[in-house]
Amino acid sequence: MIFILFIVFLPAARLQETQYRQDQCPSGSCNPQLGDLMVGRAPRLSASSTCGLDGPQNYCIIGYLEEEQKCFTCDSRLPYNHHGNPNSHRIENVITTFDPERKTKWWQSENGFHQVSVQLDLETVFKFSHLVLTFKSFRPAAMLVERSKDYGRSWKVFRYFAEDCLLSFPSVSNQPANSIDDIVCDSRYSGSDPSTNGEVVLKALDPIFEIRNPYAPNIQDLITLTNIRVNFTRLFTLGDILSRRRRNPQDKYYYALYNMVVRGSCFCHGHASRCTPVDGGRGDVFTQTGMVHGRCVCQHNTAGENCERCQEFHHDSPWRPAGRNTANTCRRCNCNGHSNSCHFDATRFEATGMQSGGVCEDCLHDRTGSQCERCRPFLFQDPQRTADDPHACRPCDCNPAGSEGGGLCDALSGTCVCKENVEGRHCNQCKYGFFNLRRDDPAGCQGFWGLGHSEFRCSACDCDVGGAYSTTCSPEDGQCHCLPNMVGRQCSDPAPRYFLPPLDYFLYEAELAAPLLPLDPGYALQIVPRQRKTDQSITWTGLGLVRVLEGAGLRFTVDNLPSPMDYQLVIRYESEVKKTVRVLVMICFLQTKGLKPH
């Protein structure tokens, strides 16, 4: 028979491409393969008790018949070697190997010690699948398994195991778990049968429970760990109770383990399919075939030892663990080429309908905005350059006295934003009819009139603030724009037949008064309506005039005075004959509405 062996040497680029394809995740989540976390971590494995560390110690193998007992020597001062030191039973012997001699080595505790623990300390957070212990001795009558997620600072119990749960752990339920995170006592793995090769199996997640969200906090608490510890609390005995008076009772009771398997993988939140050794002080001691490493080779633009965050400049979407059918890839920020860093902002993400949450930091090239999309104040985008051009922002070139904000312009067009009375491309000139451009003037320029007239030249409008619509006036004659019933160039005078009453002025028209005394019908008051005569100026107000005959009088009822104070009484009348007219005024006070006479 002839064998032909073909060896193909791939170029480095092809090797990198092959590795790249292995690292890629599908459209949904991806996870590294499971392995034995014990492999390659012998220096991180410890036991509280090991036989023969200080010198040879005897131990015996027992059966149900006393004559079946056989005794041997344990000497663990040196590591196990099949030919040189086959009697060494250190803790590293429990790490699984597949060589033919694997049944010739095991870990064994000192004789007679009930409280013994075995602990594995990992260098980072790992995802835990299950634990399998294979015993050379009887399985413990009672034990418990703990895990830590903070490198041994705090511990939580995974599960209790006991032949008699009520006796060994009376405060723990021995009923089947109702939920995936219930802590119960299991009696399946603590009987006397078998006397060797018996197993204890612990699964992180009981398959009878449906897991809808693998990244729920309680699930994460169960499957992630940095340390795992197995505490043996009670030796199994064949009815002969260990003597409490002897430090080293009978040599036939001890714990012995063929194998300890801690099945798991590096923990990557669904964002990696492969892991490499961890760097730094907590790094892997060495690399061994089959070793499960702890640093994720992150995909989906994630980063960190466990892909627990988005990589730099990929914060446009929030970090999330990958789902079954979605990768939840971290998106790259859009800073238009003007920033090298950004952060995620939840408020912006919600405001944009979950489309963009990235906020650019320290914008370069005179840029500002959440995406560095705008030029800074007093600058504008050059329309001839693209938005990512580092030289696209140009100065506004606006007159600071005539433009808003002391020189602002439109950020896109560069058009200066002029004050109210200012115009020009650079806001550097007053509008027609205005002068005196000043920076401290909110409107920029004052109004004026008389330009070109030698008599007036440039004169201020001086429009009455109470009688005119505004402070501006006609540039030809200085006429202000008057409110109704106001006249004059400055709108400071009332129109004919109108007056400007003071705030405390009360007017009572004679047309609305009553006769002082009852008169006969022929002697009634005569109202003369308004009429203009060519030889008489208009002096009346109200409806017109009241002609009062000699000897008659008028009665005015004043009932609208707001408060008691001193008032001046003014009577306005005209005489139709050229003689002296005497007027008698009588005032009668009535105390009403709380008013008192003065």
Side-chain angles (χ1 to χ4, degrees):
M1 183 178 294
I2 300 175
F3 291 94
I4 301 177
L5 176 65
F6 293 95
I7 302 177
V8 179
F9 296 93
L10 293 175
R14 291 285 301 278
L15 289 174
Q16 291 177 355
E17 181 181 355
T18 302
Q19 186 65 66
Y20 175 79
R21 290 178 178 175
Q22 292 176 354
D23 292 345
Q24 292 305 295
C25 295
S27 58
S29 64
C30 56
N31 295 282
Q33 292 183 351
L34 293 173
D36 187 358
L37 301 181
M38 300 278 286
V39 175
R41 292 182 173 86
R44 295 183 172 274
L45 189 62
S46 62
S48 64
S49 174
T50 299
C51 66
L53 285 178
D54 299 324
Q57 291 181 344
N58 291 329
Y59 67 94
C60 300
I61 299 175
I62 61 172
Y64 288 98
L65 299 176
E66 190 66 25
E67 59 269 16
E68 295 180 4
Q69 179 171 305
K70 297 180 180 180
C71 295
F72 302 91
T73 299
C74 173
D75 188 352
S76 301
R77 290 174 293 179
L78 295 174
Y80 171 85
N81 183 285
H82 179 64
H83 299 289
N85 190 23
N87 298 323
S88 178
H89 301 302
R90 292 185 175 187
I91 188 61
E92 59 264 27
N93 293 353
V94 303
I95 299 176
T96 302
T97 61
F98 297 97
D99 57 71
E101 304 167 353
R102 61 183 180 273
K103 288 290 185 178
T104 63
K105 62 177 182 178
W106 63 86
W107 163 81
Q108 186 169 308
S109 70
E110 297 174 273
N111 301 329
F113 283 85
H114 283 283
Q115 302 286 341
V116 178
S117 64
V118 175
Q119 181 171 326
L120 174 65
D121 300 318
L122 300 167
E123 67 276 8
T124 188
V125 178
F126 280 83
K127 180 179 178 180
F128 172 65
S129 173
H130 58 272
L131 168 72
V132 179
L133 301 174
T134 305
F135 286 85
K136 182 180 184 301
S137 64
F138 286 105
R139 290 175 292 189
M143 60 175 281
L144 59 99
V145 181
E146 299 175 293
R147 84 278 193 188
S148 173
K149 296 200 309 179
D150 54 11
Y151 302 97
R153 288 187 289 271
S154 62
W155 295 85
K156 290 185 178 180
V157 176
F158 252 131
R159 187 70 53 86
Y160 295 88
F161 299 91
E163 182 184 25
D164 187 337
C165 287
L166 293 178
L167 174 64
S168 299
F169 307 109
S171 62
V172 181
S173 172
N174 62 348
Q175 300 300 313
N178 292 321
S179 65
I180 200 165
D181 47 4
D182 277 353
I183 300 174
V184 297
C185 180
D186 192 340
S187 59
R188 292 177 295 173
Y189 302 108
S190 304
S192 60
D193 186 29
S195 61
T196 187
N197 283 318
E199 288 186 339
V200 174
V201 180
L202 168 65
K203 295 182 179 180
L205 301 176
D206 196 319
I208 67 172
F209 296 105
E210 180 183 2
I211 301 174
R212 297 183 178 180
N213 180 13
Y215 295 100
N218 64 322
I219 302 299
Q220 296 299 296
D221 184 61
L222 288 171
I223 67 172
T224 57
L225 52 77
T226 58
N227 312 73
I228 187 168
R229 183 166 63 195
V230 180
N231 295 311
F232 306 122
T233 61
R234 184 166 173 262
L235 286 164
F236 185 88
T237 62
L238 295 173
D240 49 347
I241 301 174
L242 291 174
S243 173
R244 297 182 180 179
R245 294 173 295 178
R246 298 178 58 188
R247 183 176 181 182
N248 297 314
Q250 301 174 22
D251 294 343
K252 58 186 178 181
Y253 296 120
Y254 47 82
Y255 302 108
L257 273 176
Y258 274 129
N259 299 112
M260 175 176 173
V261 176
V262 180
R263 194 81 171 164
S265 67
C266 51
F267 183 59
C268 305
H269 296 93
H271 292 305
S273 59
R274 185 174 67 91
C275 292
T276 58
V278 174
D279 300 326
R282 295 182 288 108
D284 299 341
V285 179
F286 59 89
T287 298
Q288 180 176 323
T289 302
M291 184 175 181
V292 178
H293 296 295
R295 174 174 286 279
C296 304
V297 180
C298 298
Q299 304 298 319
H300 306 152
N301 298 326
T302 59
E305 206 166 84
N306 306 107
C307 305
E308 73 277 9
R309 65 178 186 270
C310 290
Q311 72 181 43
E312 292 300 319
F313 209 68
H314 287 78
H315 301 292
D316 200 46
S317 58
W319 178 91
R320 288 171 293 194
R324 292 179 179 175
N325 300 315
T326 176
N328 286 330
T329 301
C330 293
R331 293 201 305 264
R332 179 181 175 86
C333 290
N334 176 22
C335 297
N336 293 289
H338 302 297
S339 177
N340 299 316
S341 63
C342 64
H343 66 272
F344 177 76
D345 184 89
T347 302
R348 171 177 165 79
F349 190 64
E350 293 179 4
T352 59
M354 313 303 178
Q355 295 300 310
S356 176
V359 176
C360 302
E361 300 171 342
D362 303 321
C363 295
L364 305 172
H365 313 134
D366 295 319
R367 292 281 177 165
T368 188
S370 59
Q371 297 181 326
C372 301
E373 73 278 12
R374 304 190 308 272
C375 293
R376 293 186 183 277
F378 305 101
L379 300 168
F380 74 99
Q381 169 74 37
D382 188 339
Q384 303 299 321
R385 296 179 181 266
T386 59
D388 59 354
D389 192 321
H391 306 290
C393 289
R394 295 175 52 189
C396 286
D397 193 22
C398 300
N399 189 310
S403 57
E404 295 289 351
L408 290 176
C409 66
D410 183 82
L412 296 178
S413 65
T415 303
C416 297
V417 183
C418 298
K419 293 180 179 178
E420 179 183 359
N421 298 332
V422 183
E423 62 184 3
R425 183 176 179 276
H426 304 289
C427 299
N428 58 341
Q429 62 188 31
C430 294
K431 290 182 179 178
Y432 180 72
F434 297 87
F435 78 110
N436 193 21
L437 178 62
R438 294 177 56 183
R439 187 168 187 170
D440 59 350
D441 189 336
C445 298
Q446 300 174 335
F448 69 96
W449 68 285
L451 179 64
H453 296 277
S454 59
E455 181 180 356
F456 300 103
R457 298 189 181 277
C458 287
S459 302
C461 290
D462 291 334
C463 296
D464 190 285
V465 294
Y469 280 104
S470 66
T471 59
T472 61
C473 64
S474 170
E476 288 81 15
D477 56 8
Q479 179 61 52
C480 299
H481 188 194
C482 298
L483 292 168
N485 304 324
M486 296 299 295
V487 297
R489 189 191 69 77
Q490 298 172 292
C491 303
S492 57
D493 302 318
R497 296 176 292 175
Y498 291 88
F499 68 96
L500 297 177
L503 295 179
D504 58 352
Y505 188 92
F506 298 93
L507 178 65
Y508 306 95
E509 299 285 351
E511 302 95 294
L512 302 177
L516 182 61
L517 295 174
L519 302 175
D520 57 63
Y523 202 64
L525 297 179
Q526 181 181 6
I527 298 178
V528 180
R530 293 184 179 212
Q531 56 183 348
R532 179 183 294 275
K533 296 182 178 180
T534 57
D535 58 346
Q536 187 179 10
S537 61
I538 298 177
T539 59
W540 61 78
T541 61
L543 300 176
L545 298 175
V546 173
R547 180 173 287 120
V548 182
L549 300 179
E550 187 175 355
L554 299 176
R555 184 176 64 204
F556 294 88
T557 301
V558 180
D559 58 1
N560 60 341
L561 298 180
S563 60
M565 64 177 65
D566 293 331
Y567 293 92
Q568 292 180 343
L569 181 62
V570 178
I571 300 176
R572 184 177 182 185
Y573 66 95
E574 297 178 5
S575 176
E576 291 186 319
V577 296
K578 294 181 179 181
K579 66 177 182 178
T580 302
V581 177
R582 299 179 65 182
V583 178
L584 177 63
V585 178
M586 295 181 296
I587 302 176
C588 179
F589 293 100
L590 296 177
Q591 186 171 344
T592 60
K593 297 183 181 179
L595 299 181
K596 297 181 179 180
H598 283 259

